[in-house]
Amino acid sequence: MTDLDSFRTEVAAWFEANRPPEPDFLLPESFMEVGTDQQFDYLRAWQRKIYEAGYLGMAWPTQYGGGGKPQAFQDIVNAEMTRQKVPFVPNTIGLNWAGPLILAIGTEAEKQRYIKNILSAEDIWCQGFSEPDNGSDLAATTTRATSDGDHYILNGAKIWTSLGSYAKYMILLARTEPGSTRYAGLSYFLCPMHTPGIETQPIRKLTGEYGFTQTFFRDARIPADCLMGREGEGWKIAMMTLTFERGATGGQAGGIARQALNVHDVLELAQTARRDGRPAIEDPLMRDQLVRFLIEDQGDRLTATRGTIPALCTERPHAIPLSQKLRTSEHRRRLLQFALTLQGANAPRWVGDANTFEGGKWQRAYFNSFSSTIGGGTSQIQANIVAERVLGLPKD
Amino acid sequence: MAALNQRIAFTDERSMLLETAVAFCREKSPIRAVRDLLASETGFDPAVWDEMTALGWSGIAIPERHGGSGLTLAEAATIAEPMGRHLLATPYASTQIAVQALLAGANAAQQAESLPRIAQGAIATVAVFESEGDWDLTHIGSTATITHGTARLDGQKSLVVDATVADLLLASVMLDGAPALAIIDTAALPPGRLRPESIIDETRRNAGLDLTGLDLPATALITGPAALTAIRDAGLLLATAEACGGIAGVLDVTVDYLNTRNAFGRKIGSYQSLKHTCADILVGLERSRSHLFHAATLCAANEPAEIALRMAKAESSDVFAHAGDRAIQFHGGFGFTWDCDAQLYLRRALWLQYSFGDAPHHRRKLADLLLG
Ligand SMILES: Cc1cc2nc3c(=O)[nH]c(=O)nc-3n(C[C@H](O)[C@H](O)[C@H](O)COP(=O)(O)OP(=O)(O)OC[C@H]3O[C@@H](n4cnc5c(N)ncnc54)[C@H](O)[C@@H]3O)c2cc1C
């Protein structure tokens, strides 16, 4: 047995023994829908427990609280969490976007200050990129950061701030150069949320859940050392953040960010759900659709494997990482849409209905699947990126 | 459902082979050469075939003791991908399919007789379809009857690829109620037995084969089910490889045009209904290639590969047919012409889609394999 094999056994046993008790309230599906204190406290405690057992940030440097091991160990943990369907860890923005960014380009002081508390969920992080008037067109950012001695004064508003209600820090894109437009003049901040003048206002989601906020900045003064890099480097750093967020670059601390329903769950559903008085899985058209999803799912998994073999990616080395979000998020959306179709006449039931399948989680999951086809750059923007950067087609 | 694995093994040997094949096909099969061959009688360039033989490709999967390179179907498929990309006109795929049949089902004497010839450049092919158009290779109308050591054949084969240039034909027949393959040396075939057929992919030459009353020594029959399964598997893998190459090739043709042609004062490639479609085709290409090299990995390791092969074929042939269809549309009026290369790829895509089973056929088979 190799080290990794015995590690897998150890991890499997740990999660079996330490899985938290089923709560008496509905857990959210992902870090983006954490909308009540009850949900938050439960998930934060779970993350801390996993970290203390040594199973988060396993490949991050030990001097900042990481495990200093090869990535393969963390991959095993992530796979095992998925397999056992244990609850997810809530601090995704810290673990997988802000954290790797700080480790990649942050100062020694920033690493000392932030990394360990990201892992333990002591400090929750959020992201302030999108604004009420500018989302896809991030370069149009208007939130201002005005230098004032050893402080910056923030004014403006961000929106769709996931975990905004619980975050202690925000990765923030703001305009430092008055009168500038587009990419130049933007700067990047590691902004403390508990600052007078910063206020969050929860926004209700299409499912009825909460989890993101509008975030207002009214003459909020933050210390000048919150600036990451130099003034004017904001765009570059924001783009780097997005490569972590979209999974196009490695270095994430790990853990899982959602309780994902996958194609195998849909297969199980197809055995219980009925159409025309028979199990849906016996309907020839449903079978054809199921097989299409299985082929696509296997195709994406195989593509992840192929991406690790450079000789099979020579022609367009960025094709796999840059298309990953588009491929997997659209697949999930269509898969979950189909999961409703499988339920036939029972499909339009909603969360709370006594006759709904598994508490209505399929309906909720379909609605929440748009979080990935919209959040983090919409599928249309992803298709532009693939067409322009991978295929070399002209910009719009 | 049994868990599927996601293994892809790509050895240094395969990666070197891929590089060589990419360069070879680019050099030997520029689109001008492809078009010149369309009108030729044999449909391929014997000089290029000789070079491929000299590189060891005709015998790539033939054991060294029979004069081959001693590699596997995975290497054979690796080379087929760039061939598909450049629409290289060649009896390569037919020959490889026949080789797999011989390796899987022929007895030692039959192998010793046929395989060294192929390694030295003899062209081989399989005659497994009939006019009914059934993709189940075990549904065979043709027959063989043995009397006193002689097998008398009867029936009509159809869609026999490269039949008119082949030295060896393997024709499926029913023998005592079970499928068998007759090894036919075309030199011994009476004249008029092959009737050229007109097919959609003009880079290929097909023929029907009349078996009526043909006598062969009974020792020329391959019995047992293994050979037909090997034909199906090799057919699926090589069609997938060609399709993957074809998707990349037609995507290049399309992207080039989108980067050149203007409409309303801007490059047509800046219009999202065109560029997003190209992005989707690329996504399909990435998935198809992953399926291809996974299926090849399982075939090379002699592991059960039916699910992987059917998935690979279904995905790649659907994507290729879609890419070819969109390539025509995205070239506008020019796309409607004989001179536009898009049509060559669409024709190839349709040929491949309907070879060895189209996507709906394989999805139905997969449903039984995966969903019970
Ligand atoms: C659940 C969820 C969580 C989120 N969490 C965060 C967060 O934590 N922090 C944060 O900063 N942001 C967050 N977002 C915001 C997200 O990044 C934006 O919603 C997204 O980038 C789109 O911006 P927008 O909402 O302004 O849409 P718009 O940009 O207004 O887009 C509207 C529509 O137009 C299309 N469109 C726009 N431009 C083009 C173009 N050039 N070509 C073709 N189509 C185009 C889009 O695809 C979309 O369909 C979250 C969003 C969601 C849904």
Side-chain angles (χ1 to χ4, degrees), chain A residues 1-10 72-73 76:
Chain A
M1 206 146 96
T2 68
D3 279 3
L4 287 178
D5 288 334
S6 56
F7 180 67
R8 187 174 290 115
T9 315
E10 169 200 316
F73 285 84
I76 287 176

Side-chain angles (χ1 to χ4, degrees), chain A residues 32 127 129-130 135-136 160 162 371 374-376 378 380-381 396, chain B residues 272:
Chain A
M32 289 176 282
Q127 180 190 42
F129 283 14
S130 306
S136 298
W160 325 125
S162 299
S371 63
I374 296 173
T378 67
Q380 289 68 39
I381 297 300
D396 294 351
Chain B
Q272 289 185 354

Side-chain angles (χ1 to χ4, degrees), chain A residues 63-78:
Chain A
Q63 68 265 41
Y64 311 121
K69 293 201 169 56
Q71 179 63 32
F73 285 84
Q74 187 66 51
D75 291 344
I76 287 176
V77 172
N78 302 349

Side-chain angles (χ1 to χ4, degrees), chain A residues 349-367:
Chain A
R349 297 183 191 279
W350 184 252
V351 182
D353 184 87
N355 285 319
T356 190
F357 282 95
E358 300 162 89
K361 73 177 181 188
W362 292 101
Q363 283 72 7
R364 187 180 72 161
Y366 167 50
F367 279 20

Side-chain angles (χ1 to χ4, degrees), chain B residues 204-249:
Chain B
R204 282 182 152 85
R205 295 292 174 272
N206 271 33
L209 168 64
D210 179 5
L211 298 175
T212 319
L214 203 63
D215 284 338
L216 299 176
T219 52
L221 289 176
I222 299 174
T223 51
L228 273 183
T229 307
I231 289 174
R232 183 198 68 197
D233 288 357
L236 291 177
L237 191 68
L238 291 163
T240 300
E242 270 192 60
C244 287
I247 301 164

Side-chain angles (χ1 to χ4, degrees), chain A residues 243-262:
Chain A
T243 66
F244 291 118
E245 175 173 350
R246 292 167 186 165
T249 307
Q252 288 82 352
I256 53 173
R258 55 159 37 107
Q259 213 86 45
L261 289 164
N262 62 32

Side-chain angles (χ1 to χ4, degrees), chain A residues 264 267 271 281 286-288 290-292 294-296 298-306 309 311-316 319-320 323 326-328 331 334 379-381 383-384 386-388 390-396, chain B residues 1 4-10 15 18 85 248 251-252 255 258-259 266-267 269-270 272 275-276 278-280 282-283 285-287 289-291 293-294 310-311 314-315 318 360 362-364 366-368 370-372:
Chain A
H264 298 284
L267 288 188
Q271 325 245 9
I281 200 163
M286 298 298 113
R287 289 167 76 77
D288 189 66
L290 285 166
V291 170
R292 282 175 191 267
L294 283 166
I295 294 175
E296 215 173 288
Q298 172 75 346
D300 279 332
R301 289 166 192 274
L302 290 170
T303 297
T305 307
R306 186 165 62 80
I309 304 172
L312 288 176
C313 308
T314 47
E315 186 175 2
R316 300 187 174 100
I320 292 177
S323 64
L326 179 63
R327 283 184 281 118
T328 54
H331 170 81
R334 288 184 287 102
S379 295
Q380 289 68 39
I381 297 300
N384 267 4
V386 170
E388 292 165 16
V390 181
L391 291 174
L393 284 164
K395 288 189 171 297
D396 294 351
Chain B
M1 192 191 106
L4 304 173
N5 77 59
Q6 280 90 35
R7 247 169 0 94
I8 297 179
F10 202 65
S15 108
L18 179 60
R85 177 168 196 155
L251 191 56
D252 271 356
V255 165
L258 264 52
N259 271 323
R266 48 193 259 220
K267 294 270 179 288
S270 66
Q272 289 185 354
K275 81 197 237 192
H276 286 187
C278 290
D280 288 342
L282 179 83
V283 161
L285 169 59
E286 296 304 324
R287 287 193 181 119
R289 287 196 88 209
S290 307
H291 278 294
F293 288 103
H294 171 61
R310 291 191 190 276
M311 282 192 167
E315 174 78 11
D318 261 359
H362 290 297
R363 286 199 299 267
R364 185 164 52 73
L366 284 164
D368 296 342
L370 296 166
L371 308 178

